[in-house]
Amino acid sequence: MSAEPAVVILDYGSGNLRSAQRALQRAGAEVEVTADADAAAAADGLVVPGVGAFAACMAGLRQVHGEKIIAERVAAGRPVLGVCVGMQILFARGVEFGVETAGCGQWPGVVSRLDAPVIPHMGWNVVDAAPGSTLFAGMAADTRFYFVHSYAAQHWEGRPEALVTRATHQVPFLAAVEDGPLAATQFHPEKSGDAGARLLSNWVEAL
């Protein structure tokens, strides 16, 4: 039996699946990319990627019953990591182009367009890591991560004991959340070089 934690990247038609797979393998995980619900339920950790539009991601997720898989894992206290739009869909709803789409509803709140003169927010940015964070453990305050997004959750309305990491692109937004077994990053760890590798290693080691 392998000593490496088993991680499933949920394949629902969205996200940088192979680059995420390689990054997680380097972080010390045994990684499978699949839409299989049993594999996703059984894994030590589940990663939910996502790129593009909130509504399209939710439509793809529902086709593989992803919202149910996530809900059952979280209810059982089993780790889930959302990345980019995979973070956004964990919230109650998203608003794009005036259209509201229901999300997974794991966290209350809305994902909306950043009110900034330059959109998308694309490139490297620092974060204000939450004290006691597992994801950002051992990292300097000036560590930079790679972002590419026009929308974000901008207010935390969930449990006060959750660890909330923020960043700013003209306006503040949620860069990461750690809430029991459910964690997420708005930036792309798999595109964030050594910093992203360290974050994924921190997550894998905690599985």
Side-chain angles (χ1 to χ4, degrees):
M1 181 174 170
S2 171
E4 294 181 334
V7 171
V8 161
I9 299 173
L10 190 62
D11 183 2
Y12 65 99
S14 180
N16 303 296
L17 304 180
R18 298 304 162 192
S19 58
Q21 181 180 28
R22 288 191 296 271
L24 283 156
Q25 285 169 338
R26 287 194 295 271
E30 186 179 302
V31 188
E32 181 182 5
V33 177
T34 181
D36 182 77
D38 292 337
D44 297 312
L46 177 69
V47 174
V48 182
V51 295
F54 187 105
C57 283
M58 277 307 302
L61 193 70
R62 288 200 176 97
Q63 285 198 317
V64 301
H65 308 292
E67 75 281 26
K68 182 168 178 272
I69 292 167
I70 293 166
E72 288 177 353
R73 283 191 64 95
V74 172
R78 295 175 62 73
V80 176
L81 177 67
V83 174
C84 197
V85 184
M87 172 177 176
Q88 295 178 10
I89 58 174
L90 297 171
F91 288 86
R93 60 196 202 280
V95 178
E96 291 178 329
F97 310 111
V99 177
E100 186 171 305
T101 303
C104 292
Q106 287 295 323
W107 293 324
V110 61
V111 170
S112 56
R113 194 173 193 272
L114 292 173
D115 185 16
V118 178
I119 291 290
H121 170 218
M122 185 163 62
W124 297 85
N125 202 348
V126 296
V127 303
D128 182 15
S133 166
T134 296
L135 292 181
F136 298 98
M139 296 193 210
D142 60 354
T143 301
R144 293 177 175 270
F145 297 89
Y146 187 80
F147 291 84
V148 53
H149 64 115
S150 300
Y151 294 79
Q154 294 170 60
H155 306 284
W156 177 247
E157 301 171 27
R159 301 190 316 144
E161 59 267 39
L163 301 180
V164 179
T165 291
R166 292 177 170 84
T168 301
H169 177 65
Q170 264 80 39
V171 292
F173 63 91
L174 306 188
V177 176
E178 296 162 76
D179 183 20
L182 187 57
T185 67
Q186 178 59 65
F187 54 83
H188 284 278
E190 78 281 3
K191 295 181 180 178
S192 295
D194 290 345
R198 178 64 185 270
L199 182 140
L200 291 175
S201 291
N202 286 344
W203 183 72
V204 169
E205 286 167 12
L207 295 176

